[in-house]
Amino acid sequence: APEIMSLIDGVCYKDGYVVFRIPEEFQEGNAVVAARNADNEILWSWHIWLTDMPAEQVYYNEAGTLMDRNIGALSAIPGEVAALGLLYQWGRKDPFISGGAINSSTQAKSTITWPAIVTSDSFTGTIEYTVSHPTTFIENNTVNKDWYFTDSPAVDNTRWKTSSESKTIYDPCPAGWRVPDGGTAGVWATALGATTKNAKFDSKLKGLNLSGTFGDDETIWFPMAGSLHYTGGKLGSVGSSGVYWSATPYTSTSVYASIMSTNTSGRINTNDYGNRARAYSIRCVKE
């Protein structure tokens, strides 16, 4: 874990802006800055991603230009734990941490004590609650398999938007980037030219180099960053599963969202589906 104030050593509110300062000796890492009211309640928070500028990788068949790394990753080098990045519940803007090693489902260390997990209900399963509790994991309710509570099998598809609409303020990708479209017409299926394909899993480096599969860059690295389970929020499958969110519902009536999944067999599924209360990786596409 970084030392407190080693990534950001000053924050202030001035003229309607939240301003932060990094130390003279730059250190890579991830931080969250929050604005609070007089009652110490969080009004909004921002994820600060301190890394070298991610490279742009152009995918086949005009599918799009994607970052060379996951959100939160400090590296795109195969086999480095810094390449795992962060994990997100579908439709939330704030991240959760992945593993502290490429082959272990023990979470990386951080400077905070993470709050107890809560179950989705009419109070906790709301946008307002996630804004004021950015580091609280919300496990799914059994009605619609989502952290977002609707008290019916219906789901809300407005938290993240596909490229047919402007992205929302809950999209965690940096300015100029967004959560990619998924499904049979999404980024990965378009680049692949199919919905499934097999690639070579690197058992030592715990991931797939999809150069020649998604694009021509020498390395297009997709690590097996695992996920947080929708009940209990426990980290699992680090080193054996890499799953990537899209902004696309699995179907117009499904409670699930479309994902791109990979595993140790090397199988790439560009039209898989995921429970929205799970926390998966995100690979941003350029707007």
Side-chain angles (χ1 to χ4, degrees), residues 60-273:
Y60 291 143
N61 304 319
E62 299 183 345
T65 299
L66 281 82
M67 290 185 177
D68 67 345
R69 66 194 67 185
N70 300 341
I71 298 184
L74 310 179
S75 166
I77 299 174
E80 289 195 353
V81 67
L84 295 182
L86 299 169
L87 302 172
Y88 289 81
Q89 292 187 286
W90 196 93
R92 293 189 66 174
K93 65 181 182 64
D94 295 293
F96 296 92
I97 53 178
S98 182
I102 62 172
N103 59 354
S104 170
S105 294
T106 300
Q107 284 181 306
K109 295 179 180 178
S110 68
T111 59
I112 70 166
T113 299
W114 290 78
I117 290 165
V118 300
T119 301
S120 171
D121 58 28
S122 59
F123 174 67
T124 61
T126 64
I127 295 293
E128 292 77 15
Y129 186 88
T130 63
V131 168
S132 60
H133 299 80
T135 57
T136 299
F137 187 91
I138 306 171
E139 63 180 8
N140 80 170
N141 64 77
T142 58
V143 179
N144 67 352
K145 307 293 191 294
D146 198 342
W147 65 263
Y148 187 91
F149 187 81
T150 60
D151 200 24
S152 75
V155 292
D156 170 81
N157 292 324
T158 64
R159 289 163 278 168
W160 291 344
K161 297 283 192 179
T162 59
S163 59
S164 62
E165 300 178 84
S166 298
K167 77 175 193 179
T168 73
I169 58 175
Y170 309 109
D171 188 310
C173 291
W177 301 82
R178 67 186 302 148
V179 178
D181 292 0
T184 56
V187 166
W188 298 293
T190 300
L192 197 66
T195 54
T196 60
K197 188 175 182 178
N198 288 328
K200 181 176 175 54
F201 170 69
D202 192 313
S203 59
K204 180 181 179 180
L205 303 180
K206 303 299 182 184
L208 302 175
N209 180 7
L210 297 180
S211 173
T213 300
F214 283 157
D216 286 329
D217 289 82
E218 182 178 350
T219 303
I220 302 178
W221 183 246
F222 279 80
M224 301 290 178
S227 64
L228 302 182
H229 199 263
Y230 54 83
T231 57
K234 183 176 176 60
L235 178 66
S237 301
V238 177
S240 62
S241 175
V243 184
Y244 293 80
W245 277 127
S246 80
T248 305
Y250 185 60
T251 68
S252 60
T253 58
S254 174
V255 297
Y256 301 107
S258 178
I259 58 176
M260 190 277 285
S261 64
T262 62
N263 56 36
T264 55
S265 71
R267 184 174 176 81
I268 306 163
N269 187 343
T270 65
N271 189 35
D272 206 349
Y273 59 91

Side-chain angles (χ1 to χ4, degrees), residues 1-22:
E3 295 180 5
I4 295 175
M5 306 300 284
S6 65
L7 300 178
I8 295 174
D9 69 356
V11 182
C12 70
Y13 177 72
K14 183 178 181 180
D15 299 331
Y17 289 90
V18 173
V19 182
F20 69 92
R21 182 182 64 192
I22 60 174

